[in-house]
């Protein structure tokens, strides 16, 4: 379910948060679906349970999951993608990445083509009909 890059400079818990958010946003994980327990996931991924706990805590703070004491963690309803603060945060990060790409010599047209390709892929290729 998850592929983590142990050589990445990005912390493992952040990689896990990103993968879980991706699965939730693409509705691979459905609202109210129970997530694997911290121990189960730690065993499957062979990483420290504290790392899983930190990722789950961050997902809960961001509103992607909720916890029920004694029962576990569950996927929240999909209203978090409409969160204005989250959109602002993503846009700010995107701006930094675009500026870095431009600095490295990537042409604006290449980035626009990539955006169009990603957008058409997200919609299932409607524009290709």
């Amino acid at each position: 379910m998850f592929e983590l890059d142990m050589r990445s400079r990005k912390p493992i818990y952040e990689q896990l948060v990103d993968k879980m958010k991706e699965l939730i946003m693409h509705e691979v994980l459905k609202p109210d679906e129970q997530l694997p327990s911290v121990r189960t996931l730690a065993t499957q991924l062979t990483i420290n349970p504290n790392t899983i706990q930190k990722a789950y805590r961050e997902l809960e703070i961001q509103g992607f999951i909720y916890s029920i004491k004694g029962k576990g963690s569950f996927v929240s309803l999909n209203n978090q993608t409409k969160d204005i603060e989250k959109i602002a945060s993503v846009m700010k990060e995107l701006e930094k990445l675009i500026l870095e790409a431009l600095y490295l010599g990537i042409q604006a047209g290449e980035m626009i083509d990539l955006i169009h390709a990603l957008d058409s892929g997200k919609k299932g290729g409607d524009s290709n009909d």
Side-chain angles (χ1 to χ4, degrees), residues 20-51:
M20 295 285 270
K21 287 198 289 192
E22 185 177 322
L23 292 173
I24 291 168
M25 285 191 265
H26 288 100
E27 296 182 353
V28 173
L29 295 173
K30 307 285 185 206
D32 296 322
E33 183 177 335
Q34 186 170 10
L35 299 175
S37 72
V38 170
R39 287 184 188 195
T40 301
L41 195 54
T43 302
Q44 288 174 354
L45 298 174
T46 61
I47 57 178
N48 191 313
N50 292 332
T51 303

Side-chain angles (χ1 to χ4, degrees), residues 60-127:
E60 191 166 0
I61 289 168
Q62 293 181 19
F64 284 88
I65 66 172
Y66 63 94
S67 298
I68 299 175
K69 195 165 188 144
K71 298 216 180 219
S73 297
F74 300 84
V75 177
S76 295
L77 294 175
N78 199 10
N79 61 1
Q80 71 276 356
T81 56
K82 306 258 188 256
D83 184 19
I84 293 170
E85 289 178 20
K86 180 65 180 168
I87 291 171
S89 171
V90 168
M91 293 299 284
K92 189 173 184 178
E93 185 67 25
L94 186 58
E95 183 179 340
K96 288 180 194 174
L97 292 171
I98 290 170
L99 288 172
E100 184 176 351
L102 290 169
Y103 176 77
L104 292 171
I106 298 173
Q107 298 297 313
E110 290 178 73
M111 289 187 275
I112 291 168
D113 290 343
L114 176 62
I115 291 167
H116 287 300
L118 292 171
D119 188 46
S120 66
K122 177 188 71 141
K123 294 177 183 173
D126 292 341
S127 63

